[in-house]
Every structure is written in C-alpha cells, then in structure tokens.
Amino acid sequence: MKLGLQGRILLMLCLVSLLQLVLLSGASYYYVSEQRYREVGDQALDVARLVAREPGVLAGVKRADTARLNVLVERIRAEVGASYIVIGDKDARRLVHPNADRIGQPMMGDDPKRALQGEAYISRAQGSLGVSVRGKSPIRDELGQIIGVVSVGYLVRDIEADLQGFLRFGLAMTLLIVL
C-alpha cells in the first residue's frame, strides 16, 4: 500500500508526536526520581542528626552498651521507616547494626571518616546491606568531642519500588494518549 503525500505527512506527525511524548515521559520520570532521592537523602540526614543528639544514644556510645543501643535504635528506625540505622564508635567500629554478627566490625567504605571529622552529609553508596541513600552525622559528647558516627539509610531497591508506581502510571498515560 502506497501512502500519498497527506498520509506520509500524517505518519510523520504521529511519529514526531510519539517521540515527543516518550521524551517528555522519560524526562518526567527522571525529574520525579531525582526529587525522590533528594527527599530521602534529606530525611536520612535529618534522622541521623536527631539520633546523634539523642541522650540515650550518647550514653550508650560512651559506654559501648550495644545491647541498650540496639533496642533504642531499632525503636527509632521503626518509627521513621528507615531501612537501617548503624552506629559506630570513634574508630568506626559498629556498635549498632541490623545484623548482630556485624557488631564490632569496621563500618564499610571511606564514608565514616568524613563524619568522624565532623561533617554531616548525604551519600549514595554500596554498604553491607546493599546500595542505599544515607545520611551520616557525627555523634558529639557534651564537650563537643566526636565520640562516634550514626548512619541512617534507605535502600535504593525500596526507593525504586516506590517509583515503579509512577513509572507504570506514566507509561499507561503515554499508551492512552497514543491510542
């Protein structure tokens, strides 16, 4: 079947419109995804700062009371919905970790060094529990001395699962418009 000039123009317009729609959908998903990661990072950092100032955490880190710290931190983790909260001492040895067999082992990566130097920050990195967006904060005693580090993380796979709903909706709307 041969298309006339009008048919070719209509086909070309449809293809250009489809391309624009796909690009717009992709850009929208990217924007929403980046915004979500930024929000999660900000939340992780806020929680890390709060945990670092919690009197029970300060006392537990000073005494290296892993049992009491783990109970306290698990309660906080459940309340804020974080994937994990890890606390390390001034040598970046874990005092709190979701996997009890990792308590006493060094925290992974170069990340703890920045917090142990006094910086509170957000990172996205591979840890012992998987790739996560995490907020890290130093833990300071009453004199301002750094006595440990707290890391609050949200696993990327959980964030991606949340974003799948938006992706499905976007694809459905694109398909609807094309039809």
Side-chain angles (χ1 to χ4, degrees):
M1 172 170 104
K2 262 187 160 176
L3 288 177
L5 180 60
Q6 285 179 332
R8 284 185 283 188
I9 290 173
L10 182 60
L11 181 63
M12 187 64 94
L13 285 173
C14 286
L15 290 175
V16 167
S17 295
L18 180 61
L19 178 62
Q20 288 175 334
L21 199 54
V22 168
L23 289 174
L24 181 61
S25 296
S28 296
Y29 179 76
Y30 175 78
Y31 175 78
V32 168
S33 174
E34 287 303 306
Q35 186 65 29
R36 181 67 182 134
Y37 277 104
R38 196 172 8 261
E39 289 170 1
V40 168
D42 289 344
Q43 180 178 348
L45 184 57
D46 289 345
V47 172
R49 286 178 169 151
L50 288 172
V51 169
R53 291 192 302 262
E54 172 70 31
V57 169
L58 290 171
V61 170
K62 285 180 191 174
R63 292 191 308 268
D65 187 349
T66 59
R68 187 170 290 164
L69 273 172
N70 274 282
V71 170
L72 173 62
V73 167
E74 178 52 29
R75 182 181 52 79
I76 295 169
R77 188 208 60 76
E79 286 178 16
V80 300
S83 300
Y84 64 84
I85 298 178
V86 174
I87 294 180
D89 63 14
K90 65 181 179 182
D91 298 318
R93 296 235 172 254
R94 295 178 181 128
L95 298 172
V96 173
H97 194 278
N99 298 334
D101 61 325
R102 295 192 177 145
I103 293 173
Q105 295 179 358
M107 295 175 84
M108 285 190 68
D110 293 338
D111 262 349
K113 291 178 187 171
R114 290 172 56 192
L116 289 170
Q117 293 171 350
E119 184 181 355
Y121 58 94
I122 300 166
S123 69
R124 191 185 308 188
Q126 173 73 42
S128 64
L129 298 171
V131 179
S132 60
V133 175
R134 49 199 184 179
K136 293 199 182 250
S137 179
I139 301 171
R140 297 178 185 271
D141 65 11
E142 302 79 20
L143 301 174
Q145 298 296 314
I146 296 172
I147 60 171
V149 59
V150 60
S151 177
V152 177
Y154 294 85
L155 294 173
V156 166
R157 69 174 179 251
D158 296 338
I159 300 167
E160 292 292 332
D162 289 344
L163 290 169
Q164 290 304 311
F166 177 78
L167 181 60
R168 279 198 256 357
F169 176 77
L171 290 174
M173 290 296 104
T174 301
L175 183 60
L176 186 64
I177 291 170
V178 167
L179 291 176

